[in-house]
Each structure stands twice: as structure tokens, then as C-alpha cells.
Amino acid sequence: MSKLADYDGPILEIDKLSISFFTRLREIPAVMDFSVTVQPGEAVGLVGESGCGKSTVALGVMQDLGKNGRVVSGSIRFKGRDLAEMTAEELRDIRGNEIAMIYQEPMASLNPAMKIGKQLMEVPMIHEGVGQKEAYARALEVVTDVRLPDPERMLNSYPHQLSGGQQQRIVIAMALMSKPSLLILDEPTTALDVTVEAAVVDLVKDLGKKYGTSMLFISHNLGLVLETCDRLCVMYSGEAVERGSIHDVFDEMQHPYTQALFRSIPLPGADKNARPLVAIPGNFPLPHERPPGCNFGPRCDYFEAGRCDVDQVIPMRPVPGNDRHETRCLRFEEIDWNAPLTLAEQKEKSAPGKVVLKMDNLKKYYEVAANALFGGGEKKVVKANETLSFEARESETLAIVGESGCGKSTFAKVLMGLETATEGEILLDGRNIEQTPIEARDTRTISDVQMVFQNPFDTLNPSMTVGRQIMRALEIFQVGNSEAERRQKMLELLDLVKLPRAFANRMPRQLSGGQKQRVGIARAFAGGARIVVADEPVSALDVSVQAAVTDLLMEIQRKEKTTLLFISHDLSIVRYLSDRVMVMYLGHVVELGDTEQVFSPPYHPYTEALLSAVPIADTSVEKEHIVLEGDIPSAMDPPPGCPFQTRCRWKSEVPGNLCEREVPPQRQLGKGHQIKCHLDDATLARMTPVIKTAAE
């Protein structure tokens, strides 16, 4: 089938689409009465929480719903043709050629046993029947287009030899090989660092313009959608609840769910004490347990009994005065959308107490064989942590930020006793613990330093009830003298993390991601921890659940006076909840100060780039656009001099190649604010804010 070059209508038209999955017990409606239109060259964002049906819509477009799924009603038209009426051969011709899809996990799309070049060349050879020589030339062109260094070496590499960001760029290159008319992106940057995400998003926008490709961008990150899309469709529980242009939906939202989503994300100006985030109450309904009437009714601030819960189909209605702006709310014309937000309960800022943790010139090196597969060869040293020095106080939240591979998790492992330090010392309440591995630590030290992990699914034992897992932690920490006492304490811990006591008898598989993370938090606090290391504790959760979990961590911290070390690459959440911030790059602490100091100039050039990369879901915010070139160097072979000099845009301001020759000294900029940089005071003073709001 030739590409319909003369077609000028909508590229994709989904009309009143309903998709169900059929099990032996029942029909489960996953998507209901869903409509969206994508015009030529337009990017449409599809947002909503996990389980709302975003990916099901994408699979419906690809006609890939598996054995159990099927379109129950409505239609999906691509360039005017109904996909359901196409033969298997026509569909095969369209997939990958006219409609391409980029998935969340790049390795799911790459063959690990095949070189990159061969995988890219397959696309035009299969779809367009071109010869090997031309296919290679085109592969080289797209790899150059997606800004990968040394394209010929890339084509000759296997997927495992590339970093996550490079793999995702190859997948984008593969999707663009046949210049598709429609590109579906399903959370394409979730697994990537914020700096890599910024570069990939930039790339997708540029290539969309270059190739004139229309896009359907699926994400739960409203900031990313603002930066990449022209129009937006908000989904909740299988339905579209609001549709419109980015500016109409962001600035004049007309559905309570859209408003609730915005209240639960940390925008500039949010403050954990004065302006806490508002989590969406209640839980997302399961597909076979949807309420009568409005699906969002049970969680809505504007719910009206006898009107919103009458079993009826609530239609999408146009919002007067806006461009194709529609909402699925019965009361949208009665609600005062500009009313000031009812503030969540304001909290007292707890004053930091005495120093609990002190690190002094901590180093962690690993020795690895040069030939890791067969051993032998000379040994190489991986410098994971270089002279880390800082202290953390009681009741304080210290955020540790940086890209993957900068040494954040290595430092956490040394603190936890999973590794021992190479040099330097760690003092916990004045006791040295850097050389004591976890098996040699006493019960008190183990219960004093606890961890909440990134992925709640991996940290719970699938064959043990929730209550039993918390009680097991209490036994290890020697809390309580009898089973009954421990049981009582376990129930109190469930109260602490706001889970119903009945959950004690549930198995982990019966819990949602946010509920599992709460169990992980209950277990970490079971022994009265002095320090809790939270390693990306909310990155795997939906935005609405993130607000509830961060709020919970803060509340427990106030009550227990715990020191929280918050490891993250999401600077929006760091700005919201941290008291002090430590920025790491390639094992070095490049900047350290309180949140206000780190988020306003002068910055370390790396901090500046990190701030510029954060997607912010606010149309009134202007950002300076800084894209970091290249990848983080290997810790096995770090560059000479300043670790950041290979990617620094300020390097030319320093005379005499100093950046390439010497590691910068740690400098005090006043009141506990320090940076590791060769830039002189005059140059630092010239730095302007990266993030500006319209009011500034």
C-alpha cells in the first residue's frame, strides 16, 4: 500500500471507542466512549493515572489487543480508513511503516543478539524492499539525526554496549526509519535520567517537525506533555474526561479530576509547610467496580448526591468560548474554577536538631578486572565516591541529586553496611560505622539506619502477609516482649502509614503500588529509625499517589524526628520537600547548600543544567534551555581535572585549560553553600535564574 501523500484529513480519528477484555468470569470494560483526533503534524498528549486505559488505546490503534481484548463499539480510522476493516496483510504493511510505536522500555524493542545497524536496516528492507547499500545509508542518516556520537561505531554495536538513553534514541531512530505518518510514544522517557529525558524530548520535537510526523504522546508527566504537545486529552478510568488545547486545559481546566491532578504535583512555589500538596482522596476504581454515574464521583470535591451518582451516561460537553475544549462533568458551568484553593493543613516547620550523621572524606573504590567476562588483564579502579563530606541533622531532609552513575546509590550502600568504605569515616551519633558490614552491625545500628526502596514490588515477600512482614521486622529489631505486643505495634504502624488494619491479612499482590510503598515505609520505621534513606521512593508511583506518599513521609518525620536522606533525580519534588540539597556528579559533591541556595544562582554549571531539564507543568514558567551534550563519563575512566569539564558550557570562561588539569577545590559561597568549580566570583555573579515565573 503506498503512502497516501494526497490525504489531507485527520491522520488518526478515534470515535466513541469502547474496548473490553473478556475473562471466564466477566467482561472487563477497559476503555469506554473514547474519542480523540490527531491532525497532520500535530502532537496530542494522553494523560492519566496507571490503569486509566492510555496504553489500551495505543494497542487498539496498533490492532494488537491479544486474544482477550476486542473493540466492542466505535471506530479507529487512520487516514480515513477504518483499521478494523483492513486485512492482516494491510495491517502488517501499515505497522512500522505508517504507524510506529516507541515503548517505555527500550530493550523490549531491541534484539540483544543482533547488531544495531542490522536491526535498523531491516525496516526499509522489509517495508520498502530497498537494497542493503541504501538501507545502510539510511540507517547512518537516522542515527546521525538522533544525535548519537560516532554513528558508524553505533551501527556496529550490540544493544548491551549502549546506555539507556542511547538505546532509547536507537528505538526512536528505528521508528523513524520509514518516515511514519503517526508515531505513538508510550511513556518513552520514564526509565531515563532527567537530563537524558530533556535531550530525548527535544529530539522528538525536532524530528516531528523535520519529518512532519503526527504524534500521540502517552504520559503521566504533565510537565513533559506541556513541553511536547499541542493538544491534550485527560483520561480517568477508561474515559476521556477533558480535551482541549494545552493552554485551555492547563489555564482553564474544566474537570475536577484535571484540577485534582494539578493540586497533587509540586509546582514552583509549593512548600511542604506553608502550601502542602493535596493528594486525591480515595482509590482508583477497578474496571468491574466502577460507581454509577460519574466515575470520578466518589473522589470529587464537587460531588452532588442524587445528580452525579445517577446511573446514566455522562456525555462530553463543549466549553463555550474555547477551541475544541470539552469536559465530561455535569456541573462544570456551576463550579467557580478560579476560587482560591482550600489549603491543606499547614504544618509547623520543625527545627533541625543535633548532628546525627557525619561523613568525612568518604571514598569508595571498586577494583574490577579489565576483562570482566574472563578475568585476567590488569585491574582497573572504579571511583564510585570521591571525598564525600557532609553532615545531616535530626528532623532534617537532605536531598541527594544527580544522574544515574553519579554515586548516589553507592554512598547509600556504604551507609547501610552493604559495602564498606575505602577511606574516610561515617559517624552515626558519634560512632564510626564505615568499616562495619551489615552482618557485623548490632541490632541498634541496623534499626537506626533503614531504607525505603524505589520499587515497592521487589521489596515485599510475595508469599507472606503484610502484617507478618512488619512483625518480622519488629522481631529482628527486638521490639516488644511478646507476639501480642508486636501484633499491637504492627497495627499501630499500619495506622501510622494510613492503611486500614484489615490489610494486615492481605498478601502483597492484593495491594496497589502506592499501598505497597506504604508497607515498605511502615517496615522502615518499625524499629524507630534515626536515619531513613529513601531511594527514589515515589518515582514508580502515579502523581496523585506520589503526593500522598511524600506527605506521609513528612508527617512521620515530624512525629519521629527522623533524618531523611532523599535520593532523587526529580528536582520538582526535591525543591518541595528538602531542607538542604547535595548535588553529585561522577562521585564528587559538586554543590551543597540549603534548598533556596541551590535553586537560585549562582549555581554549579551541572546544577544549572539539571534545573533546566526539569519539565514543569505550568504555562507561566519560563526556562532557560540548556541541553547537556554527551553522556556521563565512565567512573572507570574519569576525565582529568574537573569531572564535569567534558560537558560544561562555562568551561571557556576559565583561563589556561585549568578545568582539564586540576580538580576544583571545594569553595564556600557563604552560609553553608559550597561548590566545586573553577569559575571566579565575577562569572558566578553573572549567572541568571534558570526557572522564572511570569511574576518575576
Side-chain angles (χ1 to χ4, degrees), residues 591-594 597-598 600-604 667-675:
E591 185 162 5
L592 176 64
D594 66 38
Q597 291 168 334
V598 173
S600 51
Y603 314 101
H604 185 281
R667 280 166 60 196
Q668 296 295 332
L669 298 181
K671 279 203 195 145
H673 185 197
Q674 56 186 51
I675 70 167

Side-chain angles (χ1 to χ4, degrees), residues 5 37 46 60 65 152 154 160 284-285 330 356 380 388 402 406 473 496-497 538 567 573 613 619 661 673 690:
T37 304
L46 205 51
L65 291 165
E152 289 182 344
M154 285 290 160
H160 70 269
F284 198 77
L330 293 171
V356 177
K380 283 201 166 185
L388 284 188
C406 72
L496 183 71
V497 296
V538 292
I567 297 176
I573 229 148
T619 53
R661 293 198 320 270
H673 185 197
V690 174

Side-chain angles (χ1 to χ4, degrees), residues 143-162:
V143 171
T144 312
D145 269 351
V146 295
R147 302 185 200 138
L148 279 167
D150 198 349
E152 289 182 344
R153 183 178 65 81
M154 285 290 160
L155 293 182
N156 207 26
S157 304
Y158 287 98
H160 70 269
Q161 294 170 307
L162 275 53

Side-chain angles (χ1 to χ4, degrees), residues 399-411:
I400 299 155
V401 298
E403 295 166 283
S404 308
C406 72
K408 305 187 299 281
S409 298
T410 302
F411 137 75

Side-chain angles (χ1 to χ4, degrees), residues 278-513:
V278 183
I280 304 175
N283 286 320
F284 198 77
L286 292 169
H288 57 282
E289 292 173 358
R290 290 189 176 108
C294 174
N295 281 339
F296 189 58
R299 306 173 74 188
C300 180
D301 290 345
Y302 309 103
F303 178 76
E304 191 182 312
R307 184 173 167 198
C308 298
D309 54 1
V310 176
D311 209 349
Q312 57 172 325
V313 173
I314 297 171
M316 285 292 264
R317 288 162 57 200
V319 175
N322 284 348
D323 167 37
R324 294 176 287 156
H325 188 183
E326 297 169 293
T327 176
R328 199 184 291 272
C329 177
L330 293 171
R331 301 196 54 202
F332 81 96
E333 286 166 304
E334 306 156 27
I335 295 168
D336 179 3
W337 295 101
N338 297 319
L341 287 179
T342 29
L343 282 177
E345 183 194 346
Q346 294 197 2
K347 306 284 196 303
E348 277 300 304
K349 187 174 181 354
S350 46
K354 61 180 195 333
V355 173
V356 177
L357 179 72
K358 186 171 169 34
M359 265 193 201
D360 203 16
N361 285 333
L362 180 84
K363 290 185 181 180
K364 176 62 188 171
Y365 293 174
Y366 293 97
E367 265 200 357
V368 291
N371 187 335
L373 197 57
F374 304 108
E378 61 186 279
K379 294 240 189 250
K380 283 201 166 185
V381 173
V382 176
K383 298 180 176 181
N385 285 155
E386 277 281 16
T387 56
L388 284 188
S389 296
F390 70 90
E391 45 190 44
R393 299 169 184 277
E394 196 175 75
S395 297
E396 180 179 58
T397 303
L398 173 68
I400 299 155
V401 298
E403 295 166 283
S404 308
C406 72
K408 305 187 299 281
S409 298
T410 302
F411 137 75
K413 283 178 185 166
V414 177
L415 178 60
M416 299 295 297
L418 300 170
E419 301 276 0
T420 53
T422 309
E423 256 181 59
E425 55 180 9
I426 304 176
L427 295 165
L428 171 66
D429 286 328
R431 311 191 302 277
N432 279 73
I433 58 167
E434 71 284 343
Q435 292 303 334
T436 318
I438 189 133
E439 56 273 19
R441 288 189 177 182
D442 58 27
T443 308
R444 181 181 149 204
T445 309
I446 290 174
S447 61
D448 272 354
V449 186
Q450 282 294 302
M451 194 155 181
V452 178
F453 295 91
Q454 180 170 0
N455 193 340
F457 305 91
D458 295 344
T459 52
L460 297 179
N461 182 334
S463 57
M464 214 186 247
T465 64
V466 164
R468 187 69 243 148
Q469 302 200 41
I470 297 174
M471 283 171 71
R472 182 127 199 283
L474 292 168
E475 280 166 24
I476 291 167
F477 299 148
Q478 297 171 5
V479 175
N481 298 319
S482 64
E483 188 79 358
E485 267 184 44
R486 281 193 279 270
R487 183 161 185 80
Q488 185 53 36
K489 175 72 177 161
M490 177 268 293
L491 294 172
E492 285 166 14
L493 281 162
L494 286 178
D495 296 343
L496 183 71
V497 296
K498 297 191 168 66
L499 283 177
R501 288 186 167 198
F503 275 37
N505 301 320
R506 287 199 180 182
M507 302 302 273
R509 65 169 186 275
Q510 296 169 294
L511 272 56
S512 70

